[in-house]
Amino acid sequence: SSSAASDVYKRQVLGGAFGNLGERFVNLINGNDGKVTDFIEFLFIPSFNLADAFISVGIFLLLLSELIDKSD
């Protein structure tokens, strides 16, 4: 059902957000000024990390599922 899928996408976004917050907290304690490390780089887009990807893909899928539900 779309509600179950929507719940998965929301958890994906929250997981990415908590991943970034956790990394900020750990880096703050370790003296890295609380910066998140972006380690995935492509030539045509800014660098990002896995948590950023989870957030972006989760939001995209959540919006897409909402648009599909509205059209039905």
Side-chain angles (χ1 to χ4, degrees):
S1 90
S2 64
S3 177
S6 178
D7 288 344
V8 170
Y9 305 148
K10 289 175 187 174
R11 288 185 182 113
Q12 182 175 345
V13 171
L14 285 173
F18 283 125
N20 274 338
L21 284 173
E23 185 174 1
R24 283 188 186 280
F25 181 71
V26 168
N27 285 338
L28 189 62
I29 290 172
N30 291 334
N32 193 14
D33 294 329
K35 296 178 182 174
V36 175
T37 305
D38 294 332
F39 56 89
I40 302 171
E41 294 186 26
F42 295 108
L43 295 176
F44 51 91
I45 58 174
S47 61
F48 61 99
N49 61 29
L50 198 55
D52 296 335
F54 272 88
I55 294 169
S56 299
V57 171
I59 289 173
F60 173 77
L61 292 173
L62 190 58
L63 290 172
L64 185 64
S65 71
E66 289 296 319
L67 288 174
I68 290 171
D69 285 347
K70 296 278 188 215
S71 68
D72 289 342

